[in-house]
Amino acid sequence: MTALLQRPPAPARARPAPPGRARRRRHGWLGAVATPVVVFLFSSLLTFSLGALSPSNPAAAVLGETATPADIARMNHEFGLDRPFLVQYADWLGGALTGDLGRSYFTTIPVADSIFAALPVDLALAGLAILLAVLLGGAAGIAAALRRGSRLDRAVTVVASALGTLPPFAIGIGLVVVFSVLLKLLPAGGYIGPQHGLLPWLRFAILPALALSLDIAASIARQLRTSLVAQLGENYVTGAVVRGLGARRVLFGHALRNAVGPALTVLGVAVPTVLGGAVVTEKIFNLPGLAQLALQASAQHDVPLIQGTLLVAVTVVLLCNTLVNLALSRVTPQGRRP
C-alpha cells in the first residue's frame, strides 16, 4: 500500500497538438494546387466536347461544297474524327499537356504556333492593365479611406460607381476619341511589342490597357476603401497610435495588410474580365491578340484552333487565380495565424 502511494503518478497522456502553421500551410498549398487541376480537367473535357460534338463537319468545310461523301469520310479519317470520343479526347489532352494542340484544319499550321504568336499581346496588355488597375484603384481607395466623409471620398465613390457601369469597349471608344482624334497624342490602333522599346510599346498599349483596367480599378477602389475604413476603426489601430507608432507604419504595416484581402479577391476575377473584354477591345484597337484569333477560328469552324485558344485561356485564368489565392493565404489574418 505504501509502495503504491510512493509510486509516482503515471504521466498524463498528452493531448494531440493542434495542427500547426506548417501543417495548415501544407494543406493550403495542396488545396490551392488540387482545385485548379480538377477544374482544368473538367474545363478541358468541356472544351473538347464543344468542338467534337458540334453539328458542323470540319471535313466538309475544308473540302467545300463539291466534296463527295467518300471524300468527307476519307478526310474524317485523316483528322481522326471517326474514332471514339473518349479516345479522341485522351489523345488531344495528352498532346496538349506536352504542348501539341494539333494543326489548323485550314492552314495546317500548328495550333500552338498560332496561339503563342498571339498570346504575348494579351499577356502584355493584361499585365499592364492589372498594374494600372492596382495603382489607380489602390491610390483612390486609400485616399478615400483616409479622407472618409470628405469631398474626395464622395468623388472617388461617384467616379468608381460610374466606371463600374461602363463596359470596356465604351471606355475604349471614348479614349480613342479624346486622345487620338481630338488631342492626337496617341495612335488609335495597331500594336508593336515591347522588344521594339518600352516607350513605343506604351504608346500603342496604354489606351487598350486603360480601357481594360478602369472597371477593375473602380472595383479595387470600392473594396479597398470599405475594408480599410473598417480596419482603421479597430482597437489594434488605436493601440498602435497610442504606443507612438507613426501614421505611415500603422497604415502600411498593419491596417492596409489586413484590409487588402477584398481587393486581392477582385484581382482574382480580373483576369477573366480582361480576357473577356479583350474580344471587343482588340477589335477596336486592331490588336493581333488571342481574342481575334479565336474569332477568326470560330468564323471558319476551325475546331482545333478554337479548342486550343479556349484551353490556353482557361489555363491562364487558373494560374492567375491560383497565384491570387496563394497571396491571400499569405497576407490575410487567417493565413498568418499560427
Side-chain angles (χ1 to χ4, degrees), residues 103-338:
R103 291 180 176 268
S104 168
Y105 286 157
F106 295 89
T107 65
T108 69
I109 297 175
V111 172
D113 292 350
S114 300
I115 289 176
F116 290 114
L119 186 60
V121 178
D122 293 272
L123 293 181
L125 289 179
L128 181 58
I130 291 175
L131 176 62
L132 291 173
V134 170
L135 294 177
L136 296 175
I142 293 173
L146 295 178
R147 302 285 298 277
R148 56 186 179 275
S150 66
R151 292 182 179 179
L152 176 62
D153 184 17
R154 292 192 291 271
V156 169
T157 302
V158 171
V159 172
S161 300
L163 290 176
T165 62
L166 295 176
F169 76 88
I171 298 176
I173 294 174
L175 291 174
V176 168
V177 171
V178 173
F179 291 99
S180 300
V181 178
L182 298 179
L183 300 179
K184 302 185 185 301
L185 295 176
L186 296 169
Y191 184 81
I192 61 174
Q195 66 271 17
H196 297 286
L198 183 60
L199 290 180
W201 170 70
L202 281 175
R203 291 190 72 249
F204 286 91
I206 189 67
L207 289 185
L210 270 176
L212 294 172
S213 68
L214 290 181
D215 180 26
I216 304 170
S219 299
I220 291 175
R222 290 196 302 265
Q223 295 292 341
L224 187 58
R225 186 263 177 201
T226 301
S227 58
L228 188 55
V229 166
Q231 291 298 323
L232 290 174
E234 292 290 335
N235 292 332
Y236 73 89
V237 173
T238 304
V241 173
V242 170
R243 291 197 304 270
L245 297 182
R248 182 174 300 181
R249 182 177 177 184
V250 172
L251 174 63
F252 293 101
H254 299 279
L256 186 59
R257 189 176 183 183
N258 291 330
V260 78
L264 280 178
T265 304
V266 171
L267 288 181
V269 299
V271 176
T273 301
V274 169
L275 292 179
V279 175
V280 180
T281 304
E282 288 181 6
K283 194 70 174 178
I284 294 174
F285 293 97
N286 191 26
L287 302 175
L290 194 65
Q292 291 305 304
L293 184 65
L295 288 177
Q296 295 170 7
S298 300
Q300 296 177 335
H301 300 287
D302 197 340
V303 174
L305 194 53
I306 296 172
Q307 293 171 335
T309 54
L310 288 177
L311 186 67
V312 170
V314 168
T315 303
V316 171
V317 170
L318 288 177
L319 287 176
C320 293
N321 283 342
T322 301
L323 292 177
V324 170
N325 289 334
L326 293 176
L328 277 172
S329 68
R330 297 284 296 181
V331 303
T332 55
Q334 292 81 3
R336 300 194 307 267
R337 188 176 301 161

